[in-house]
Amino acid sequence: MIKRTVEEKVISYARQYPVVTITGPRQSGKTTLCKKLFKSLKYLSLENLTTRQYAQDDPVGFLAECTKTGAIIDEIQRAPDLPSYIQGAVDQEKRNGLFVLTGSQNFELMTSVSQSLAGRTALVTLLPFSYNELYKNKSADIFEMLYQGFYPRIFDQKLNPTEAMSFYVSTYLERDIRTILNVKDLSTFEVFLKLCAARNGQILNFSAIANDCGINHNTAKQWISVLEASHIIYLLKPHYKNFNKRLIKAPKLYFLDVGLAAYLLEIENSKHFTNHPLRGALFEAFVVSELLKKRFNSGKKSNLYYFRDNIGNEVDVIADKGTIQIPIEIKSGKTINEGYFKGIEYYYRLNKSADNNGLLVYGGEEKQKRTKYRVIPYKSIHQIEI
């Protein structure tokens, strides 16, 4: 079993808080992680109809049994009123590590958790494997890595990535989207997903994607919000700082798993990446997701943004550390080109706190420490401190 980087952080939280809440996309490994770390806790899944009915019909009796040993309650969003009763149980028991909650529908889960368990729960976001978790002791071809993505089940069961992602999308549509949104025509939503994948790494334009899909602007916004809250996509916000420049205000769209994006783009094997026009955008999505995993696995929120002004000067990622900002350029090429540093140089001129902090993450193998930048191969991305 592959060790998850976040394990020590989760155990630490369980010693400090009565409840630990773990969210993340379906099949990111939440249940496996909980069962591994908390063997003494009773495991209950609210996907099970009988268990869910018990929790909904008699929450007091349900939790009375749970508090004897403590419990892992999987897919807590299936019983949205339960966190209110958990609040009463933890206040009465007054012991840490009593409940571990998991959920894949963050938009529903966080509302109930934030209202009922404020101050009583630690929050963890678990995304699929990071590069370092999966390939720490072995080499990986860059195109094969992008094609396979990072969902644990693909590697655990040695599944064909195209088939696995096909089933994942179908299951996601049937089980989640239909229960959340009034999606009458699933084929339209599939087209919407593919249009999103084609816009990976681009500034999000709701009107354009709505027009291309044949839906209205509000529907596009609603579907995007569900995909974001379900940890399928991430919206990277622009970095606001007064540089006396007109800055772009719309977010950029990224898929949190590059393998899922590749499937939606109908990439069926790693060879398709060689001359694919979106290869650079997919590599960029991989790097952004790895930077996010680095933050989340450390128990931190995202501090990532991007910079772009109205005349096209851009830096792919800005990591904001408060007193300093770190500009990060992302290039899929395997050979370093001086043009790769153009965006960082421009940003240096605007923001002196970023001087000499710039990073280039690229598709090559060589690590370099230059006077004004660090060059990081994608295999060493976990070493970046953001």
Side-chain angles (χ1 to χ4, degrees), residues 201-204 236-241 243 245-252 284 305-318 329 343 346-347 350:
Q202 294 183 19
I203 293 171
L204 181 58
L236 186 69
K237 295 181 176 65
H239 192 254
Y240 292 110
K241 195 174 178 69
F243 297 129
K245 298 286 182 180
R246 292 181 61 187
L247 304 180
I248 300 297
K249 296 182 179 180
K252 290 205 297 186
E284 189 175 324
Y305 304 86
Y306 79 95
F307 169 85
R308 184 170 181 173
D309 63 21
N310 65 322
I311 57 174
N313 295 298
E314 183 174 11
V315 178
D316 293 325
V317 174
I318 303 293
E329 279 292 332
Y346 181 82
Y347 191 74
L350 295 179

Side-chain angles (χ1 to χ4, degrees), residues 192 206-207 209-211 213-223:
F192 182 79
F206 288 108
S207 297
I209 197 170
N211 290 335
C213 193
I215 57 178
N216 63 48
H217 181 272
N218 288 336
T219 299
K221 289 187 71 173
Q222 186 181 32
W223 288 2

Side-chain angles (χ1 to χ4, degrees), residues 64 90 101 109 166 178-179 181 190 283 289 357 382:
V90 299
L101 313 179
L109 177 63
S166 173
R178 267 189 169 168
T179 61
L181 299 171
E190 288 191 41
F283 181 78
S289 67
N357 291 315
H382 62 282

Side-chain angles (χ1 to χ4, degrees), residues 83-328:
S84 296
Y85 293 92
I86 291 175
Q87 173 190 337
V90 299
D91 287 350
Q92 181 176 341
E93 291 293 321
K94 291 183 171 43
R95 71 177 192 264
N96 292 334
L98 186 59
F99 292 105
V100 179
L101 313 179
T102 80
S104 56
Q105 295 176 17
N106 200 33
F107 48 93
E108 291 181 9
L109 177 63
M110 293 309 296
T111 300
S112 58
V113 167
S114 61
Q115 290 177 352
S116 304
L117 299 177
R120 300 170 178 85
T121 185
L123 300 174
V124 177
T125 301
L126 183 69
L127 298 180
F129 285 139
S130 68
Y131 181 90
N132 193 48
E133 287 172 337
L134 193 55
Y135 297 110
K136 186 175 184 179
N137 298 314
K138 52 188 174 183
S139 60
D141 175 77
I142 186 171
F143 296 149
E144 188 67 25
M145 177 266 293
L146 295 176
Y147 167 60
Q148 290 182 323
F150 293 88
Y151 277 100
R153 186 171 173 78
I154 290 176
F155 300 92
D156 181 48
Q157 303 295 326
K158 296 181 172 55
L159 302 177
N160 176 288
T162 299
E163 293 176 350
M165 287 295 96
S166 173
F167 300 145
Y168 186 86
V169 169
S170 297
T171 302
Y172 175 68
L173 290 172
E174 292 294 332
R175 296 181 58 187
D176 291 343
I177 294 301
R178 267 189 169 168
T179 61
I180 301 159
L181 299 171
N182 186 23
V183 181
K184 297 177 181 177
D185 185 359
L186 286 176
S187 63
T188 301
F189 189 80
E190 288 191 41
V191 170
F192 182 79
L193 280 174
K194 291 181 179 181
L195 288 171
C196 287
R199 287 162 170 77
N200 205 45
Q202 294 183 19
I203 293 171
L204 181 58
N205 184 321
F206 288 108
S207 297
I209 197 170
N211 290 335
D212 289 348
C213 193
I215 57 178
N216 63 48
H217 181 272
N218 288 336
T219 299
K221 289 187 71 173
Q222 186 181 32
W223 288 2
I224 286 288
S225 68
V226 170
L227 291 174
E228 181 186 21
S230 301
H231 307 282
I232 300 299
I233 64 172
Y234 182 78
L235 299 183
L236 186 69
K237 295 181 176 65
H239 192 254
Y240 292 110
K241 195 174 178 69
N242 184 18
F243 297 129
N244 295 318
K245 298 286 182 180
R246 292 181 61 187
L247 304 180
I248 300 297
K249 296 182 179 180
K252 290 205 297 186
L253 184 154
Y254 290 99
F255 271 72
L256 282 170
D257 186 76
V258 66
L260 176 57
Y263 163 76
L264 292 169
L265 292 171
E266 300 182 354
I267 294 174
E268 297 184 348
N269 61 65
S270 59
K271 295 178 182 178
H272 287 177
F273 279 96
T274 306
N275 297 308
H276 199 283
L278 294 179
R279 183 183 72 182
L282 291 169
F283 181 78
E284 189 175 324
F286 154 70
V287 173
V288 170
S289 67
E290 288 297 303
L291 294 174
L292 286 169
K293 291 169 189 174
K294 174 84 173 181
R295 293 288 296 183
F296 295 160
N297 288 339
S298 301
K300 301 174 183 176
K301 295 181 179 180
S302 172
N303 67 339
L304 305 181
Y305 304 86
Y306 79 95
F307 169 85
R308 184 170 181 173
D309 63 21
N310 65 322
I311 57 174
N313 295 298
E314 183 174 11
V315 178
D316 293 325
V317 174
I318 303 293
D320 192 335
K321 300 189 73 173
T323 56
I324 63 170
Q325 289 75 46
I326 303 173
I328 304 173

Side-chain angles (χ1 to χ4, degrees), residues 350-367:
L350 295 179
N351 186 0
K352 297 304 180 183
S353 75
D355 275 3
N356 303 330
N357 291 315
L359 298 174
L360 168 67
V361 180
Y362 79 121
E365 302 282 338
E366 185 181 356
K367 184 184 296 185

